[in-house]
Amino acid sequence: MNLTDDMATAHDHADHGPAKGLKRWLFTTNHKDIGTLYLLLSLTMFFVAGIMALVVRIELFEPGKVWVTPEFFNQMTTLHGLIMVFGVIMPAMAGFANWMIPMMVGAPDMALPRLNNWSFWLLPFAFLLLSLPLLRELVGMASHLIGLNLFAGAGAAPDYGWTFYAPLSTTYGPDSTDYMIFAIHMMGISSILAAINIVVTIFNMRAPGMTWMRLPMFVWGWLVTAFLLLAVMPVLAGCVTMMLMDRHFHTAFFEAAGGGDPILFQHIFWFFGHPEVYILILPGFGIISEVVQTFSRKRLFGYSFMVAATITIAFLGYIVWMHHMFTTGAPYAAQLFFMYATMLIAVPTGVKVFNWVTTIFKGELTFETPMLFALGFLVMFTIGGFSGVMLAIAPADYQYRGSYFVVAHFHYVLVSGSLFAIFAGVYFWLPKWTGHMYNETLGKWHFWLSAISMNLTFFPMHFVGLAGMPRRIPDYALQFTNFNQIATVGAVIFGLSQLLFLAIVIRSCQKHKAGVNEHLPDNVWDGGRSLEWTRLPTPVPYHTFETVPEIGPNDTH
Amino acid sequence: MAHGTYYLPQPSNWPLKGSIALFLTTFGGANWLHHSTFFGLEFGPYLFVLGLAMVFYMMFGWFGTVIRENRAGLLSDKQVDHSFRWGMAWFIFSEVMFFGAFFAALFYARLISVPVLSGEQAHYYLTHLIFWPDFKDQWPILANPNPAAFIAPKSVMEAWGIPAVNTLILLSSGATITVAHWALLKDKRPLMLVAQSITILLGIIFLSMQAREYTIAYMEKGLTLASGIYGTTFFMLTGFHALHVTIGTIGLCVILYRMFRRDFSPTNHFAFEAIAWYWHFVDVVWLFLFILVYWL
């Protein structure tokens, strides 16, 4: 074993920069490297799942069959959802956590750096496993064109929607379901280890003087998110384990014939699934808090209320899962409880939105790209929040359930919510990471194109949904055609505008790699208050805070 | 140390090996379940075993690295020690939530799905009437809603036989590991080794009794994984518990080996404490199992 060699080099390791070549990325224990890996994985999967969304949208351009079979359509909606949730939003947020949390709390790295590497490197293998059935299918189709018949009997990719309800995924699930189950096990391990690392870093690695109520909001957002992950990812692992047993070992968890119940699947899934939506948005709330206060050149309004609101949202998030199941025949008392508990979440969320608005009030505002995305978030996430309150009302939900209204709702909170927060974060911190200022004009184009096309895509879905168009169906009634065509045009524009984002990010990374030094100030945006702006040079060196900083009251928000 | 008060480990290839190992295990496992073949060879089981062997190799190597670092004094820092402690504590919390999912399934079956299917709740009477009008509410169920699809057991598991003895055994092992900890703190080496060995022995006895019980369930009572929701929840809950006892026992053996190697001192023995926490966690899970699966 080469461990002794490793130890011999341990001492001079710190004085060097990163290792050379591929080994740097495979074996790294550096939080910035791992953060970059997470963000790159997220960016890649963003385009993969984005193409799937376009396949769906193009199929829905007209009623009837446009170009793909209904079976393939189902696989696209399923994998689009699974990959966007687990492969894009979550890794991107974890990338920010890795980059920023150690710097924001004044630590040299994450608390458990080797485990941190594993948290990341589980993910590419998990997504390989998840995508294998689809890859097999695509290779099969291509080989069919040239007269070969590869993987003829291989079966379909997962095709039951991202929520993989039993019995669609158990009794009727294709073979590929087992790949998905194991992929989710691996993602679960990755998320749990990452969450442990983040909790421990925030608990244990804060620099002296970095008290709880001096933590930047982004750190608070992630701390609460990590607790959500620790509590619900194991439940999801249990859920897919039950599926596996039902599929292959004749257990009866989701089989009424044996005394179980398919509704049990929905309870367990949504006990994970509802906190999951806060896992996707709370780190985004943190990013938005940082961006809004920086570009308003003010302290965040009502900091302690923001902290309390984050914790309240997470707590309420645990006890509302049945609002996804109002039409399963739940007792009325349960429906009432879950309806009121769900609507209660609007209170702490409203506290957050009003505090952001109040932070902006009378600020010395400037409108660079991160701020534009943050403002877009404020407006459009709030729209998604309102349609959420509509969906929370049990009797109204009987009507909205399973319609495109639901699709509109969760894309407003996920695209103009989580994804816009991620964009805001990338534009906000990219100059700090690379030492290169991105092209502001292109950035603004990216924002306006995204914001307009996003609304073009998802706003009409409210109307067709309320009028009765069901989700997850590759065909629809004639009268929905106009709105669907608008949505498809919007989706294609949205997809193409993301190439701008890709170009902007690649340009920054190229300049960084070429060693171009633009001599950006340490506090790039001039209003930054957290440690990465006030205590560290731009671009940030490979190792930061190797000597412990002392944090005073003036150091933070 | 180069990093002042903080130990930053050097780059490591164990995580990547672990990911490849898990990929092979799961990819092999899935193909084993599907009986897939490649040029006529059913490759699933081979990949599965290879992957599992790699998982063990990775754990051996990774923990070995940490042990060597500890011996070299690289981990003596208080902050690193705290990170390990918090990490282990939250890992156990996530394990609690994993068991929580299966307990939830048990409660759901007992309080909701079985009563509903048997027509106990007027609101759902039609379900009962249309599907299986003969099904009666009882727990543990000795007749499934569809008796042809899920063959029910002949009799149920008794709480006051092997399970009660196993409860005593596991509780005693919780006491002996505490004795071992006390002896370690007081530097009473012979007592520590004896108490640790007894803990391991109790763990092994527990597992053999559990195996015996499973044999009785399968051979005499006809209670299997496929006997409907009672067999399902019984075997999944006790099975995952037994798996955790096995992992814990292996951990205890490694600790015993390290005790012989004089790896621990009264002030530096976090590995021992981590396993002890884990053992107590397994102990508490068993108490819930005994009460909710066997007894009530």
Side-chain angles (χ1 to χ4, degrees), chain A residues 6 78 98 114 423:
Chain A
D6 284 354
T78 304
N98 265 292
R114 256 187 308 238
F423 286 147

Side-chain angles (χ1 to χ4, degrees), chain B residues 42-272:
Chain B
E42 197 184 319
F43 60 93
Y46 299 103
L47 280 187
F48 179 79
V49 171
L50 176 69
L52 216 55
M54 263 188 85
V55 170
F56 283 115
Y57 164 68
M58 178 274 289
M59 293 182 86
F60 194 81
W62 193 335
F63 282 122
T65 308
V66 179
I67 291 169
R68 261 177 285 262
E69 284 169 350
N70 186 39
R71 283 184 191 147
L74 294 169
L75 309 178
S76 54
D77 179 58
K78 264 263 171 297
Q79 198 174 26
V80 174
D81 185 59
H82 278 146
S83 288
F84 281 8
R85 279 163 198 278
W86 277 119
M88 188 66 195
W90 290 111
F91 170 69
I92 290 177
F93 172 73
S94 76
E95 290 267 53
V96 170
M97 293 307 292
F98 181 76
F99 274 98
F102 289 89
F103 274 108
L106 174 71
F107 298 150
Y108 187 90
R110 293 183 61 168
L111 298 175
I112 299 176
S113 69
V114 170
V116 164
L117 287 165
S118 65
E120 290 270 300
Q121 294 179 8
H123 187 60
Y124 304 102
Y125 196 68
L126 218 52
T127 312
H128 169 66
L129 221 53
I130 292 172
F131 286 110
W132 299 288
D134 298 332
F135 180 60
K136 296 212 170 27
D137 183 16
Q138 53 174 341
W139 190 270
I141 46 178
L142 287 172
N144 283 303
N146 180 350
F150 290 90
I151 296 152
K154 290 195 278 290
S155 59
V156 304
M157 303 308 293
E158 298 297 334
W160 300 108
I162 292 176
V165 179
N166 260 351
T167 308
L168 277 179
I169 289 172
L170 221 46
L171 287 178
S172 316
S173 76
T176 53
I177 201 169
T178 308
V179 172
H181 192 194
W182 180 82
L184 176 50
L185 289 173
K186 298 282 175 208
D187 224 359
K188 296 182 191 300
R189 197 171 146 77
L191 179 61
M192 172 185 79
L193 292 172
V194 169
Q196 180 75 4
S197 309
I198 293 176
T199 312
I200 293 171
L201 204 63
L202 289 171
I204 294 170
I205 294 174
F206 174 91
L207 285 170
S208 353
M209 302 263 280
Q210 187 78 1
R212 170 81 190 128
E213 202 196 16
Y214 275 16
T215 321
I216 295 172
Y218 263 80
M219 299 301 170
E220 292 170 21
K221 294 174 185 281
L223 180 69
T224 69
L225 260 181
S227 333
I229 194 68
Y230 172 55
T232 297
T233 49
F234 172 79
F235 281 109
M236 291 304 285
L237 276 162
T238 55
F240 269 119
H241 178 262
L243 177 68
H244 281 74
V245 176
T246 311
I247 295 168
T249 308
I250 294 171
L252 288 172
C253 292
V254 175
I255 297 296
L256 183 65
Y257 167 75
R258 292 187 63 191
M259 284 172 164
F260 277 113
R261 289 282 312 261
R262 294 173 190 274
D263 259 359
F264 299 124
S265 71
T267 52
N268 179 358
H269 54 266
F270 169 67
F272 171 82

Side-chain angles (χ1 to χ4, degrees), chain A residues 31-342:
Chain A
H31 71 103
K32 301 182 184 77
D33 280 352
I34 295 172
T36 305
L37 285 169
Y38 267 116
L39 290 167
L40 286 178
L41 174 78
S42 168
L43 190 61
T44 315
M45 298 314 274
F46 178 51
F47 283 97
V48 171
I51 289 169
M52 293 174 180
L54 287 182
V55 172
V56 168
R57 273 321 319 167
I58 291 170
E59 176 59 39
L60 290 173
F61 188 70
E62 279 177 356
K65 184 181 164 180
V66 174
W67 68 325
V68 294
T69 60
E71 290 79 13
F72 194 71
F73 180 90
N74 286 346
Q75 298 169 26
M76 288 293 101
T77 54
T78 304
L79 289 172
H80 164 73
L82 281 172
I83 294 178
M84 280 294 184
V85 167
F86 292 104
V88 178
I89 306 288
M90 287 172 77
M93 295 302 185
F96 285 119
N98 265 292
W99 259 99
M100 303 319 299
I101 289 175
M103 291 202 268
M104 284 179 156
V105 302
D109 206 300
M110 297 291 278
L112 305 160
R114 256 187 308 238
L115 207 60
N116 200 21
N117 175 304
W118 203 24
S119 297
F120 171 75
W121 275 107
L122 277 167
L123 286 181
F125 290 95
F127 286 104
L128 179 63
L129 202 58
L130 179 68
S131 328
L132 268 180
L134 182 70
L135 293 175
R136 207 166 52 182
E137 204 172 333
L138 292 177
V139 172
M141 283 183 202
S143 74
H144 191 69
L145 288 180
I146 56 167
L148 282 167
N149 239 342
L150 294 173
F151 305 118
D159 57 0
Y160 21 68
W162 85 275
T163 51
F164 48 90
Y165 276 12
L168 288 177
S169 59
T170 50
T171 315
Y172 307 106
D175 274 356
S176 60
T177 310
D178 300 312
Y179 284 70
M180 184 201 72
I181 288 172
F182 288 132
I184 288 177
H185 277 132
M186 284 170 78
M187 290 170 207
I189 298 173
S190 155
S191 291
I192 291 166
L193 296 181
I196 289 174
N197 222 330
I198 286 165
V199 169
V200 176
T201 305
I202 300 171
F203 272 32
N204 195 33
M205 306 293 292
R206 281 170 293 130
M210 180 54 85
T211 54
W212 286 104
M213 293 314 268
R214 283 179 190 162
L215 285 177
M217 265 319 288
F218 176 73
V219 180
W220 264 111
W222 244 113
L223 179 65
V224 175
T225 306
F227 281 122
L228 286 171
L229 281 169
L230 281 176
V232 303
M233 288 313 282
V235 176
L236 179 68
C239 179
V240 292
T241 307
M242 291 176 199
M243 281 170 59
L244 186 74
M245 298 306 288
D246 267 16
R247 285 169 55 79
H248 296 288
F249 302 97
H250 207 59
T251 56
F253 284 112
F254 310 133
E255 279 279 357
D261 190 349
I263 302 288
L264 171 62
F265 174 91
Q266 297 185 26
H267 280 289
I268 297 177
F269 179 83
W270 286 114
F271 183 83
F272 146 81
H274 198 78
E276 170 72 12
V277 306
Y278 298 107
I279 290 165
L280 298 173
I281 197 67
L282 288 181
F285 282 176
I287 296 172
I288 296 300
S289 298
E290 303 302 331
V291 171
V292 163
Q293 63 176 344
T294 302
F295 291 91
S296 304
R297 276 118 192 126
K298 278 173 68 185
R299 278 163 197 261
L300 187 67
F301 183 85
Y303 171 84
S304 48
F305 273 80
M306 289 296 246
V307 172
T310 309
I311 296 169
T312 313
I313 291 172
F315 172 74
L316 290 173
Y318 284 124
I319 53 166
V320 296
W321 76 90
M322 257 184 83
H323 66 217
H324 298 269
M325 307 164 57
F326 281 146
T327 53
T328 55
Y332 290 123
Q335 294 192 35
L336 281 175
F337 170 80
F338 283 100
M339 173 172 100
Y340 288 127
T342 304

